[in-house]
Amino acid sequence: MVRLTPYVEIDGETITVIVPRAEMGQGVQTTLAALVAEEMDLDWGSFSVAHGAPSRSYANGALLVAGLPFAAYRETRLTRWAAGAMRVTGRLMGMQITGGSTSTRDAYLRMRRAGAAARAMLVAAAARRLGQPPETLRTQDGAVVAPDGTRLPYAALAAAAAKQRPPRRPRLKPSRDWRLLGRALPRPDMADKVHGRTRYAGDIRAEGMLFATVRMCPHFGGTLRGVDAGPALAIPGVVKVVEIGAGVGVIARDTWTAMRAARALAPDWGPASGPADTDAAFGAIAAAFDRRPTVTLGRRGDVEAALGAEKPIEAEYRVPYLAHATMEPMTATALYGDGRLTLWAGTQAPLLARERAARAVGLKPRDVTLHVTPMGGGFGRRAEFDFSDQAARLARAVPGRPVCLAWSRAEDMSHDFYRPAMIARLRGQAGASGPAALSLDIAGPSVLAEQARRVVGYVPPGPDKMLLEGAFDQPYAIADFRARGYRADIGIPVGSWRSVGYSHNTFFLESFLDEIAAAAGLDPVEMRLNLMRGESARAAKVLERAAEIAGWGTPPPPGHARGVAFCWSFGAPTAQVVEICRTEAGIRLERLCCAMDVGRALDPGIVEAQIVSGALFGLSAAIYGEITLAGGAVEQANFDSSRELRLGQLPAIETCILQSGGKPAGVGEPATPPAAPALANALFALTGERHRRLPLHHAVRFA
Amino acid sequence: MQITVNGTRHRVDADPAMPLLWVLRDVLGLTGTKYGCGTGLCGACTVHVAGRAVAACQLPVGKVSAEVTTIEGLAAGPVQDAWIAHQVAQCGYCQPGHVMAAAALLARTDSPTDAEIDAAMAGHICRCGTGPRIRAAIHHAARQLREG
């Protein structure tokens, strides 16, 4: 096997493009492989794609940049300088993370350069072999072609090419010459997924395999005092009961037996530190408003003076905790023996997962081989390490036997790292053309602080941008403005959930702007356009397009109504119009029109899929999504108590992908934030009732 | 106990109460059938028993009296082709179940209405939001079947 760059390997006739980002369904393995293949002039379908081993050279710089407390639509020299510095830090920290809709943004230059470098090395090797200057050679379909038509396939040049020095700044193909990028390519993972051949981490099978599940303390921050293994061991097929931290694992000859045995146990749970119920959690979040703000961003003018001039419009909004509910509950497979650990896990952060698993079983990271498998959904959940650590610990209990760990759905729903519940207190002053003054006070758990503490062991200094993203950084010219964040440590684990802070703050801001528009008698689209035209022409164009496809200018049919929302997140300004209608069975989602400026669509088919995916994820959460607590434990256990939109409930979706040029934006998340406020605003337009709490199904009957 | 899966007869040494899902996955190593909820709420474990779409997590293996077809044994045809043509799958985890349900539907009718598709898919969840492409793929496959 010959490696030309960290991203290109040639083994005999087989060319493999390494895509060190995790495939959760977002199509990243397709688009990132295309970046390399484009520069190398590889035929689509003529090479294989692999995730590759965990490595620092695959660190994600764009992820850290996204955490900077600047409005993304204003790129200044300062933000560019800070972004450069963060890129270095990210590499040092070894963050090979898939998340934050950053993969394409991070790889756009890097992987094209890797492909171009590999191509240059192959051409140089061919030039040497043919005794011709490299400038006379071209590349086509995986071969170097000489002026006389002689073809030297890459496979035949690989060994010689590997001895060439990779060029530092290889010349990139101009985009007008692209053959793969910019087209909807067939995904290389598609056929296997359709035929059931894809092996997720829970589908690894090996000789002598055992199957396991876990039952962790149902109370957050709780412990395991002890457990009588007897009732589990009495079930035929149970091999071992293992205490692992704040819970128990059961190893058996099949998953069903393991799950039955886990249910048969009566563990003695120790005291817990989390709240007793949902009211207590919200009470603790509300109490954070009484303390000093943790972070203030976007301050302009004098908001207190402006709000004091007349009685302001005031409103309080609330959103619940949300589970990721990936279709594949947490799984991982592990084999321990002879001082080594082999781990198969669908992880969004392989370097950290390997390090953590090593620590969990007392090994060095170099003694751990991690195979990153495709994931049955991620949405941020698989950026955590609990499940891979558990598989490692369980495998250590039965050395030499591979152990396949599968969580039950109930375990998955009740032991997530949730999207935090949040409360927003908003005050605004309506002027003739919209909000003259706006103050957003937002309280809730800090994803940044909790995730950083879990991952690197400390909370990084600097403003907590995630608490306020979507609230302070939108392209609206409001003279007197301020967003304040109040961190509340609640004791329910929180983590990244598709679009993170934008997922709640966009609901707050965009719903409240709708309230101001209604109070001032303004059209919600026109008002937003007036606020954004001077700030960002890109944003205004996106909103205009969404309104145009939705037919905003023409009144909806009787019994129908429309709502609009906008959000600029992950580099992609996005606008949505949701149209609903009243039916005998309840409110029906009729249409969702979404316009998004992605800068450059590297694969329009995948971009479209992600827009639809993100929007439906947002709608489903807005209508049904909720995690509640009673007796210190999560009440939802399965898809009956935690519902999802079904096929028959989906609206017709129309998308418009705008490409204003420049770098590609992230597309996995930006369609999620506007969905909830667009729907709530449509409900207001239809019924005159303003919905300030999610999920909506408590107050509205949906068809 | 003996069951026939994808045309092959298997002697299975398992508790008759064990759901077919786990026999397929853990005993026979047919991992294309997925666990999603264990309670018949999500459709990820859908297989065919005597040609009908069934949630394998709800069927004790001892009660299986007819031939079982899993995603691995489903004859290649218009459904899978349409799924690929429409690039339906994202994470792909729920797709074998959706494909099995669609194949069972199209075995009953080659011109399903949207309402029939909704009904056939009502027991299925996809968290990636592939629903619109699933609907398009079913119509596409139906067209292929009608045109032979």
Side-chain angles (χ1 to χ4, degrees), chain A residues 357 613 669:
Chain A
S613 173
E669 297 172 271

Side-chain angles (χ1 to χ4, degrees), chain A residues 47-283:
Chain A
F47 59 93
S48 51
V49 182
H51 183 284
S55 166
R56 263 166 214 276
S57 49
Y58 303 135
N60 185 341
L63 187 66
L64 286 146
V65 175
L68 293 172
F70 303 105
Y73 73 94
R74 285 205 189 108
E75 190 171 277
T76 64
R77 239 167 63 190
L78 175 66
T79 62
R80 279 198 298 273
W81 172 84
M86 289 294 254
R87 225 175 272 276
V88 173
T89 319
R91 195 175 298 271
L92 288 177
M93 287 166 64
M95 293 177 88
Q96 186 192 347
I97 291 177
T98 307
S101 289
T102 53
S103 295
T104 305
R105 288 186 279 170
D106 180 65
Y108 181 58
L109 263 182
R110 195 195 299 200
M111 293 196 66
R112 281 189 300 149
R113 277 188 189 139
R119 178 188 173 276
M121 292 158 78
L122 289 158
V123 167
R128 221 169 155 165
R129 188 165 301 172
L130 295 167
Q132 297 197 21
E135 311 82 66
T136 63
L137 305 176
R138 61 196 178 88
T139 50
Q140 188 186 34
D141 299 349
V144 180
V145 185
D148 66 359
T150 308
R151 288 177 66 87
L152 295 176
Y154 289 166
L157 294 165
K163 298 198 184 86
Q164 300 290 325
R165 184 195 291 273
R168 278 184 77 82
R169 290 265 156 164
R171 215 165 61 86
L172 298 179
K173 223 189 238 188
S175 58
R176 64 173 178 278
D177 293 340
W178 285 352
R179 298 161 309 111
L180 300 174
L181 300 174
R183 284 177 41 201
L185 295 169
R187 291 173 57 143
D189 56 344
M190 187 59 63
D192 280 347
K193 285 180 172 172
V194 170
H195 291 283
R197 294 190 295 253
T198 301
R199 297 267 169 166
Y200 302 87
D203 296 333
I204 305 298
R205 292 294 177 269
E207 201 54 36
M209 177 162 261
L210 294 169
F211 297 85
T213 198
V214 293
R215 183 164 164 201
M216 305 306 286
C217 181
H219 313 118
F220 296 117
T223 54
L224 174 74
R225 281 208 197 94
V227 63
D228 169 16
L233 292 172
I235 295 173
V238 173
V239 174
K240 210 159 193 177
V241 175
V242 188
E243 294 189 15
I244 43 168
V248 198
V250 178
I251 304 171
R253 70 178 172 198
D254 61 76
T255 314
W256 179 66
T257 302
M259 285 184 181
R260 253 188 337 146
R263 278 197 301 273
L265 294 168
D268 180 13
W269 303 121
S273 53
D277 54 31
T278 311
D279 285 348
F282 273 107

Side-chain angles (χ1 to χ4, degrees), chain A residues 24-25 187 190 193 200 202-203 205 211 254-256 324-325 327 408-409 605 608 610 613 617 638 644 646, chain B residues 18-19 22 25-26 32 34-37 39 41 71 87 89-93 118 122-123 125 127-128 131 133:
Chain A
M24 298 177 265
R187 291 173 57 143
M190 187 59 63
K193 285 180 172 172
Y200 302 87
D203 296 333
R205 292 294 177 269
F211 297 85
D254 61 76
T255 314
W256 179 66
H324 295 84
M327 284 311 295
S408 68
R409 174 58 63 192
E608 196 261 354
Q610 284 306 300
S613 173
F617 200 81
N638 215 317
E644 305 295 333
R646 305 279 170 153
Chain B
M18 191 193 290
W22 298 112
R25 291 184 53 80
D26 295 357
K34 303 301 186 197
Y35 166 81
C37 70
T39 48
L41 292 165
I71 187 74
Q87 295 281 295
Q90 290 186 31
C91 90
Y93 193 80
D118 291 347
I125 295 174
R127 289 281 288 152
C128 296
R133 289 192 185 192

